[in-house]
Amino acid sequence: IGWLYQFYISERKDEVFAKKGKFEADEIPAATQIFTPNWIVKYMVENTVGRIYLDNNEYATELKADWKYLVECEPTPKDSIYRFDDLKDLKVADLACGSGHILNECFDILLSLYVYEGYSRAQAIDTILRYNLLGIDLDTRAKQLATFALMMKACKQDSSFLDAHLLPRVYDMPKVDRYTYRDLNGHFCCALNLSLDSDSSKELDDAFALMEESDSLGSVMRFNISPSTREFMQLAIAEQEKQQKFVTNFEPLINGFKIILALTDKYSALVMNPPYMGGGNMNGVLSKYVKENYPDGKADLATVFVEMMPKSLNDNGRYSFIIPPSWMFLSTFEGLRQSIIDNQSISSLLHLSRGVFGADFGASSAVIANTKDSKATGTYFRLIERTFQEFDQKHLQQLFEKTLANHDFRYYFADYSKEVDVIVYSENGAKIYYPAIPQTNFEKIPGHPIGYWVSEKILETFIRNLALSAVCKPTQGLATADNARFLRLWFEVGQNRIGFGFEDAASAARSKKKWFPHNKGGSFRRWFGNQEYIVNWENQGSEIINFRTPNGKQLSRPQNINYYFRESISWSKIVSNSISFRYFPNGFIFDCAALSIFSNEITNNKYLLAVLNSIVSKYILGFLSPTMNCEVGQISGIPIGFNGNETKIYLYIDQNISISKQDWDAHETSWDFQTNELIRMHNNGKQEKPMQDLFAEVELSESTEAIQETPANPNSLDDCYEAYKKEWERKFYQLHANEEELNRQFIDIYGLQDELTPDVPLSEITILQQGEVSIESVNTKNEATHE
């Protein structure tokens, strides 16, 4: 039924996303309905409802044997067990239930518990639907389908349920407002002979006022309702059900009472696949409400639900969810992670690659106990290795099942293909199972990412070394709001109008130039390059600064102006595969997509460049920022190590920058282009010695000057071409050797000899990117093929 409904609304969903704006209230259901794979639902239900029951009934081994996705974990401490006296007190809910997939799995496991305790199926079904199970959804059609699915399941288990005259407790949002309450309440109390004090009346008036926006807010509504007011509503519903008169008259009021009671109740377990919606798509009502009431999760509706779930749980209850994994790492959700680490206990977590919901951005499913425990440990499953690698959903299921059966199961993700039938073990594969990970480990890492796979050695690097933010200033730069208006490629403007090489804003302003070099980020390139754009910063950027809407609202964001024109290290905010850092000399204005680092007295830019381009930094960023966005917050947390002997490191850095700059300047798209490479070879052959490298003097075993080639016959095009290929092959391998040597140096500095190797794939050497000389890895590093 869930799959049918997802496809039924798919055209409406496409329409909603195509408009690229805020989602209005009636568009939210179509935009957020998505069906959860059954094995993940079983994992969530068995490790919440099932685990609570086992904690209370440790001898129920025959039940445990039936739960395929129950995760083995440390025994729950006696004082952290959620206790219940009667099964009907085990209250379970899905407050964004969609078409009821999770509710159906909850029904099944609850039924098995009742049958295990000796109830008849008829008794069990009646009690489950009356007391144990509750669902809410914004979408009326989804609510109807969830109700239908549960009724069919009940009838399958007990055909007499057809005559039970009992509907499952699945609610949608009632069409009510404060006037509904004010108009009906007096008549209602009179008709049912009920009394309501003024305080409770005020609480309900405020609650119905909030429900005016229930079609936008749904289950994230928070009501201030006292116990006495809850008792009144429970009595009112009970009295209404007893009598036959006024059934339809007071239906809106009763429906409002049911929602208020449901959203102010405390549950034993909550299991949800909450709606996914970024803050940018929220309409004004929803955006304002979540910012005021859910400050830690406000950036996405899914994380709003995650922040809400423990507030709706009893102490020691359990909640589970499946949402995108951004909450585990992004600085946006640092407050949410901190709250979970401080106040709850992560029991287990599945870290999933893309493929759970098709072409998604990956997923994470966690089971968390509403228990504050400084000694909490969790079991984690790393069902992912490379960011955004896409798996067929059935293969993710196999990977999880095989790891549950064999905790030592390893898988070589690089060999994955959707065409395989079975996921197989590989000795060289990645580790998947991470048991008993102390939750306090996450507090040792800046930003508190859920880096469960991080070793003790890596954790020590954070303790022993200063964070990058302590030795330099990572910053965001200029956002013009209209790049087509304010940016140009450098060759689109006369050179006499461009101001190159200024060291500060004051000298740039005195030049009276209009255009200045602009660092806009760009593709994967290390050490030097991506210098193509210029920006209109005439009169200290007055035109950009005053770029406003007709009503005076500023559109542009010229951030951190005091850092403009300064020497920097920069990286591109959007990272598709591997991050790269580049050196920028004085004279550049940097972009909001070209985040930049400015050093202070403790270190300098070039040393930071080497650290950040090293294998150590790459590994650390794998858990600080394993998403496509690499923000200032994640880079700021990288530990910067020193050993007091950095002289040799600087020599390698200078040569790497020099080689990369020569490569960049060898193309006509560089503003420092001098001559065609073949003509340079011809001229070299006519000189007594090779042309001096103008950028840097490097005293290594082989300087950039020594790398240069001289053709045997400078007048032969073939000889010039062969010399050109040979020189750039040698530069390529010199850069490769330098990068590996720097990796060795930093592995030693950080003490990570057992964790990392210095190897650099040839594909990650970022010169010759235009295929001028094609260098392929073959049997030995010193061999190459040319194209």
Side-chain angles (χ1 to χ4, degrees):
I1 291 173
W3 277 119
L4 286 171
Y5 187 51
Q6 182 171 322
F7 287 113
Y8 172 75
I9 63 169
S10 61
E11 290 184 5
R12 175 61 172 155
K13 186 171 188 174
D14 291 341
E15 291 174 8
V16 171
F17 279 103
K19 77 170 200 171
K20 298 184 184 299
K22 309 288 185 184
F23 296 154
E24 300 303 325
D26 64 339
E27 296 171 329
I28 293 174
T32 57
Q33 289 285 353
I34 192 165
F35 185 78
T36 317
N38 185 253
W39 65 278
I40 293 179
V41 175
K42 286 182 178 293
Y43 157 75
M44 293 193 292
V45 172
E46 289 173 9
N47 288 282
T48 50
V49 182
R51 178 58 64 189
I52 288 172
Y53 189 83
L54 290 177
D55 283 345
N56 284 267
N57 300 272
E58 56 186 300
Y59 302 110
T61 53
E62 54 267 59
L63 283 174
K64 183 178 179 180
D66 291 336
W67 296 338
K68 184 177 181 180
Y69 298 100
L70 186 72
V71 174
E72 293 182 20
C73 56
E74 296 293 319
T76 306
K78 297 294 184 183
D79 58 352
S80 298
I81 293 175
Y82 176 77
R83 300 292 185 182
F84 60 91
D85 296 324
D86 191 283
L87 258 181
K88 74 176 184 180
D89 297 326
L90 188 57
K91 295 192 290 185
V92 184
D94 180 353
L95 304 182
C97 67
S99 53
H101 187 183
I102 292 173
L103 293 178
N104 276 265
E105 287 297 333
C106 290
F107 177 92
D108 283 344
I109 199 169
L110 287 166
L111 181 63
S112 69
L113 301 183
Y114 275 100
V115 171
Y116 178 76
E117 294 202 354
Y119 286 75
S120 70
R121 290 185 177 271
Q123 287 176 310
I125 292 169
D126 183 88
T127 310
I128 290 169
L129 298 184
R130 200 179 295 276
Y131 299 107
N132 292 107
L133 197 57
L134 181 137
I136 299 177
D137 199 85
L138 198 67
D139 184 1
T140 298
R141 179 56 56 83
K143 170 247 183 176
Q144 293 167 342
L145 290 172
T147 303
F148 171 71
L150 282 171
M151 291 180 68
M152 293 301 98
K153 186 171 283 289
C155 290
K156 179 182 178 181
Q157 296 295 333
D158 177 23
S159 58
S160 66
F161 180 77
L162 284 169
D163 300 320
H165 305 291
L166 174 66
L167 281 175
R169 292 186 303 156
V170 185
Y171 306 140
D172 59 358
M173 291 298 127
K175 305 297 183 184
V176 295
D177 53 33
R178 71 173 67 211
Y179 303 106
T180 303
Y181 170 71
R182 290 174 180 175
D183 288 346
L184 295 179
N185 183 50
H187 301 292
F188 179 76
C189 289
C190 181
L192 274 68
N193 195 27
L194 299 172
S195 61
L196 183 66
D197 62 55
S198 59
D199 289 342
S200 292
S201 182
K202 175 65 168 59
E203 290 175 5
L204 289 173
D205 190 71
D206 291 342
F208 276 83
L210 179 58
M211 282 195 288
E212 292 174 13
E213 306 293 354
S214 63
D215 55 352
S216 288
L217 302 180
S219 295
V220 302
M221 291 184 294
R222 298 176 66 178
F223 301 106
N224 182 22
I225 298 295
S226 64
S228 61
T229 305
R230 282 183 57 82
E231 290 176 9
F232 167 80
M233 288 186 286
Q234 291 166 340
L235 178 61
I237 293 169
E239 290 297 321
Q240 172 75 358
E241 290 175 349
K242 287 179 183 177
Q243 49 89 46
Q244 301 300 315
K245 296 188 296 181
F246 315 118
V247 172
T248 58
N249 304 58
F250 302 123
E251 187 174 16
L253 197 65
I254 292 296
N255 289 340
F257 287 170
K258 288 179 178 178
I259 284 291
I260 296 169
L261 285 170
L263 294 181
T264 55
D265 204 354
K266 294 286 187 180
Y267 297 92
S268 313
L270 289 171
V271 186
M272 298 172 63
N273 177 4
Y276 312 155
M277 184 197 299
N281 292 122
M282 295 180 188
N283 61 44
V285 170
L286 180 58
S287 177
K288 182 175 184 295
Y289 189 79
V290 300
K291 287 175 182 176
E292 292 174 351
N293 292 278
Y294 299 96
D296 294 333
K298 64 186 177 184
D300 194 286
L301 191 54
T303 46
V304 167
F305 272 89
V306 171
E307 185 176 350
M308 176 268 287
M309 291 171 82
K311 302 178 192 298
S312 299
L313 271 183
N314 286 306
D315 290 344
N316 299 328
R318 288 175 174 251
Y319 66 103
S320 185
F321 55 80
I322 177 168
I323 66 171
S326 53
W327 74 276
M328 297 170 61
F329 307 105
L330 292 188
S331 57
T332 306
F333 303 111
E334 181 178 346
L336 181 64
R337 291 191 296 273
Q338 184 70 66
S339 179
I340 291 172
I341 292 167
D342 289 346
N343 301 298
Q344 284 100 46
S345 303
I346 301 174
S347 177
S348 63
L349 184 145
L350 310 186
H351 188 186
L352 300 152
S353 69
R354 290 176 58 191
V356 176
F357 301 113
D360 53 43
F361 291 98
S364 64
S365 184
V367 175
I368 302 177
N370 195 25
T371 302
K372 186 172 183 176
D373 182 1
S374 61
K375 298 180 181 178
T377 62
T379 301
Y380 296 80
F381 295 82
R382 186 165 170 75
L383 306 171
I384 181 176
E385 185 178 57
R386 289 181 285 138
T387 304
F388 303 120
Q389 182 179 19
E390 185 174 344
F391 265 61
D392 190 297
Q393 192 247 113
K394 68 176 181 289
H395 292 142
L396 283 174
Q397 180 179 355
Q398 282 184 29
L399 197 56
F400 182 45
E401 290 175 355
K402 287 177 178 289
T403 307
L404 284 173
N406 173 17
H407 293 164
D408 294 324
F409 188 85
R410 303 177 78 93
Y411 182 68
Y412 193 64
F413 285 82
D415 281 351
Y416 173 73
S417 166
K418 288 189 177 183
E419 306 306 316
V420 303
D421 292 325
V422 180
I423 295 294
V424 296
Y425 172 86
S426 171
E427 286 189 9
N428 297 321
K431 180 180 177 181
I432 295 172
Y433 180 69
Y434 291 82
I437 301 300
Q439 194 163 289
T440 52
N441 280 3
F442 308 142
E443 294 188 297
K444 299 174 184 177
I445 308 172
H448 314 303
I450 309 300
Y452 56 88
W453 67 96
V454 178
S455 68
E456 286 295 327
K457 280 280 189 181
I458 293 290
L459 291 173
E460 287 175 15
T461 67
F462 289 101
I463 297 170
R464 291 198 316 264
N465 301 296
L466 291 172
L468 183 137
S469 58
V471 300
C472 66
K473 176 68 174 176
T475 59
Q476 293 181 331
L478 172 66
T480 69
D482 191 344
N483 283 348
R485 177 173 181 170
F486 295 112
L487 300 189
R488 298 287 184 273
L489 292 165
W490 68 267
F491 45 78
E492 296 181 289
V493 175
Q495 291 237 357
N496 61 339
R497 303 179 68 198
I498 305 174
F500 290 104
F502 292 103
E503 295 185 359
D504 53 49
S507 57
R510 288 194 297 270
S511 73
K512 304 298 183 184
K513 301 286 187 181
K514 179 174 181 177
W515 301 94
F516 297 89
H518 185 57
N519 174 8
K520 194 177 179 293
S523 61
F524 176 57
R525 187 177 177 90
R526 290 194 183 115
W527 307 108
F528 193 92
N530 292 357
Q531 299 178 8
E532 303 164 302
Y533 285 89
I534 52 177
V535 62
N536 175 2
W537 199 250
E538 189 175 26
N539 296 324
Q540 297 180 303
S542 61
E543 189 174 344
I544 291 177
I545 292 170
N546 293 307
F547 186 43
R548 302 175 183 275
T549 62
N551 64 3
K553 181 181 179 181
Q554 185 170 6
L555 294 170
S556 62
R557 286 186 294 116
Q559 306 167 97
N560 297 300
I561 293 177
N562 55 317
Y563 288 99
Y564 291 2
F565 302 102
R566 286 179 53 179
E567 177 188 77
S568 68
I569 301 303
S570 185
W571 76 97
S572 302
K573 177 180 175 181
I574 305 299
V575 180
S576 59
N577 187 14
S578 185
I579 194 169
S580 58
F581 295 83
R582 295 170 289 280
Y583 170 73
F584 280 81
N586 291 320
F588 285 80
I589 293 172
F590 59 104
D591 198 285
C592 59
L595 309 177
S596 296
I597 293 168
F598 302 88
S599 66
N600 59 24
E601 296 177 1
I602 299 178
T603 184
N604 68 39
N605 282 324
K606 290 183 180 179
Y607 184 79
L608 292 176
L609 177 63
V611 175
L612 294 170
N613 274 334
S614 73
I615 190 70
V616 173
S617 175
K618 180 180 178 180
Y619 183 75
I620 290 172
L621 282 172
F623 54 87
L624 288 181
S625 181
T627 66
M628 284 188 69
N629 281 351
C630 195
E631 303 274 8
V632 164
Q634 287 90 37
I635 296 296
S636 296
I638 295 175
I640 303 300
F642 300 91
N643 66 355
N645 185 24
E646 286 82 33
T647 303
K648 191 174 182 181
I649 289 176
Y650 284 116
L651 299 178
Y652 287 110
I653 298 166
D654 283 340
Q655 189 174 58
N656 290 354
I657 294 172
S658 176
I659 292 172
S660 299
K661 185 178 190 299
Q662 289 173 46
D663 173 70
W664 183 258
D665 291 342
H667 302 88
E668 294 181 17
T669 48
S670 168
W671 51 58
D672 284 333
F673 173 78
Q674 298 296 318
T675 187
N676 178 274
E677 284 292 278
L678 295 180
I679 295 175
R680 181 175 68 82
M681 286 296 163
H682 169 75
N683 293 337
N684 280 357
K686 293 190 172 185
Q687 295 176 358
E688 293 183 3
K689 63 178 182 178
M691 183 185 298
Q692 184 180 2
D693 175 21
L694 300 177
F695 185 70
E697 293 277 352
V698 183
E699 297 176 0
L700 290 179
S701 58
E702 188 171 27
S703 68
T704 53
E705 181 177 298
I707 294 173
Q708 294 185 8
E709 291 290 327
T710 302
N713 179 2
N715 294 317
S716 166
L717 182 59
D718 284 343
D719 284 357
C720 288
Y721 184 53
E722 287 303 316
Y724 160 71
K725 290 193 295 183
K726 187 175 181 181
E727 177 178 316
W728 278 102
E729 176 190 329
R730 293 178 68 198
K731 287 179 179 177
F732 182 93
Y733 280 120
Q734 185 66 53
L735 184 57
H736 180 259
N738 290 356
E739 290 196 10
E740 291 196 336
E741 180 56 32
L742 284 171
N743 282 343
R744 288 187 192 93
Q745 297 271 351
F746 286 114
I747 287 171
D748 288 343
I749 289 172
Y750 286 85
L752 299 176
Q753 294 87 347
D754 296 333
E755 303 278 333
L756 302 171
T757 64
D759 302 332
V760 178
L762 294 184
S763 60
E764 291 192 8
I765 302 302
T766 55
I767 62 172
L768 304 177
Q769 289 186 334
Q770 297 183 24
E772 311 91 319
V773 178
S774 178
I775 297 179
E776 301 173 1
S777 180
V778 286
N779 293 331
T780 65
K781 190 166 69 172
N782 294 322
E783 296 181 20
T785 59
H786 301 293
E787 294 181 0

